[in-house]
């Protein structure tokens, strides 16, 4: 698979790169970013996937989260994928929370979304294979995290594939999309009206059904303006009912912005690095 280098910049002794390729999963060109810490000069390193939220691209977390300095210190690579297929001929919607920029990390089965919106296959299968073939990262030491819609994706993917992701965390995840306006609209559009098909993409339901074999770390801003849409209490309750090992931290005064993510990204990078070592 041909990989085009868009840019590469020195960062904390490592390299922050942006790359483009033709995706078989989405049938479009896809852009993603990879940060390689200085430790890659000596060999392969663990890799942490960061899934972004609504309206974001690969660039948001790459430039706003401030994760590179911690990844350099911890000796862990970072991958920042895009949030949806894009380009001419790709279905879209006037609303910010549907269509391009809002793939919700599912494989769409409904028109007009199904030809290109196959973000589950892209994130779980295609892009990891591409990254592991082209960069010095350890395929056996992968963790996953994300923010908002990306937190939803990280949790659902990790609980579905616990053998592949040795660590999982999330920032302000959309925790119960089957019961939220951030979820019912999108899952209905992408997957149809059979609510049984939605359940595999709801972290609260997955937590109640199967949980995660390791520890889980979740940070949620207590002053998040979208709490009613995120429904963090449902996931916290499911974790307690299951006695899931981990931490669910309500951070007083923090909202939903990247100022929140930036404040705690170091905790998450080091937390993953410890479990992937």
């Amino acid at each position: 698979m041909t990989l085009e280098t868009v840019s590469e910049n020195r960062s904390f002794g490592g390299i922050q790169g942006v790359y483009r390729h033709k995706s078989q999963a989405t049938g479009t060109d896809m852009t993603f970013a990879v940060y390689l810490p200085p430790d890659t000069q000596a060999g392969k390193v663990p890799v942490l996937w960061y899934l972004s939220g609504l309206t974001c691209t690969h660039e948001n977390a790459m430039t706003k989260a401030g994760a590179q300095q911690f990844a350099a210190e911890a000796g862990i690579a970072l991958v920042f994928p895009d949030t949806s297929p894009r380009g001419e001929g790709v279905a879209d919607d006037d609303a910010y929370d549907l269509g391009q920029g809002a793939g919700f990390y599912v494989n769409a089965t409904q028109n007009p979304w199904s030809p290109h919106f196959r973000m589950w296959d892209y994130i779980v299968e295609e892009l990891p294979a591409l990254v592991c073939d082209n960069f010095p990262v350890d395929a056996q030491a992968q963790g996953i995290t994300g923010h908002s819609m990306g937190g939803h994706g990280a949790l659902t993917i990790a609980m579905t594939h616990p053998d592949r992701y040795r660590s999982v965390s999330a920032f302000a995840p959309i925790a119960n999309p089957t019961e939220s306006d951030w979820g019912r609209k999108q899952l209905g559009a992408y997957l149809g009206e059979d609510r049984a098909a939605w359940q595999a993409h709801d972290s609260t339901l997955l937590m109640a059904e199967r949980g995660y074999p390791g520890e889980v770390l979740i940070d949620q801003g207590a002053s998040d303006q979208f709490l009613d849409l995120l429904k963090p209490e449902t996931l916290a309750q499911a974790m307690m009912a299951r006695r899931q090992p981990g931490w669910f931290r309500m951070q007083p005064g923090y909202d939903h912005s990247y100022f929140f993510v930036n404040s705690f990204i170091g905790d998450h990078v080091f937390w993953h690095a410890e479990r992937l070592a």
Side-chain angles (χ1 to χ4, degrees), residues 52-276:
S52 290
L54 289 167
T55 76
C56 293
T57 69
H58 71 279
E59 188 175 16
N60 292 76
M62 181 185 77
T63 59
K64 295 180 180 180
Q68 291 88 345
Q69 60 181 317
F70 304 111
E73 183 178 345
I76 188 171
L78 305 170
V79 182
F80 307 100
D82 203 347
T83 54
S84 78
R86 302 176 191 272
E88 185 177 354
V90 177
D92 201 7
D93 192 271
D94 290 338
Y96 75 94
D97 57 355
L98 186 66
Q100 295 186 37
F104 260 75
Y105 304 103
V106 303
N107 286 338
T109 60
Q110 307 299 303
N111 288 324
W113 314 105
S114 56
H116 301 293
F117 280 73
R118 302 192 62 79
M119 290 300 293
W120 182 277
D121 283 352
Y122 178 70
I123 294 297
V124 174
E125 304 292 347
E126 184 178 28
L127 189 57
L130 180 68
V131 168
C132 291
D133 284 347
N134 288 275
F135 299 92
V137 300
D138 185 354
Q140 303 305 312
Q142 299 187 63
I144 191 167
T145 188
H147 173 230
S148 193
M149 179 184 73
H152 137 82
L155 291 169
T156 57
I157 288 171
M159 282 189 277
T160 304
H161 295 285
D163 55 330
R164 191 170 308 179
Y165 302 94
R166 284 168 43 186
S167 58
V168 61
S169 71
F171 298 87
I174 301 174
N176 193 196
T178 61
E179 299 299 332
S180 168
D181 288 343
W182 272 1
R184 286 178 297 206
K185 171 184 177 181
Q186 295 83 0
L187 296 177
Y190 295 143
L191 302 178
E193 293 307 313
D194 180 5
R195 291 176 64 93
W198 304 2
Q199 294 179 8
H201 301 285
D202 187 307
S203 60
T204 293
L205 299 181
L206 289 175
M207 180 60 68
E209 176 188 342
R210 63 184 71 174
Y212 181 73
E215 298 167 316
V216 176
L217 172 62
I218 298 173
D219 274 311
Q220 171 64 63
S223 296
D224 193 315
Q225 60 271 44
F226 301 115
L227 283 174
D228 289 344
L229 294 167
L230 301 171
K231 296 188 175 296
E233 67 281 357
T234 61
L235 179 56
Q237 290 163 3
M239 289 177 66
M240 288 294 292
R242 189 175 186 83
R243 299 180 180 177
Q244 170 69 44
W247 294 265
F248 195 112
R249 309 191 303 191
M250 293 295 290
Q251 302 291 1
Y254 286 91
D255 60 15
H256 198 70
S257 71
Y258 263 91
F259 293 107
F260 159 64
V261 174
N262 185 272
S263 298
F264 300 101
I265 191 68
D267 288 357
H268 285 244
V269 170
F270 290 129
W271 189 86
H272 282 275
E274 180 180 348
R275 284 152 183 79
L276 298 175

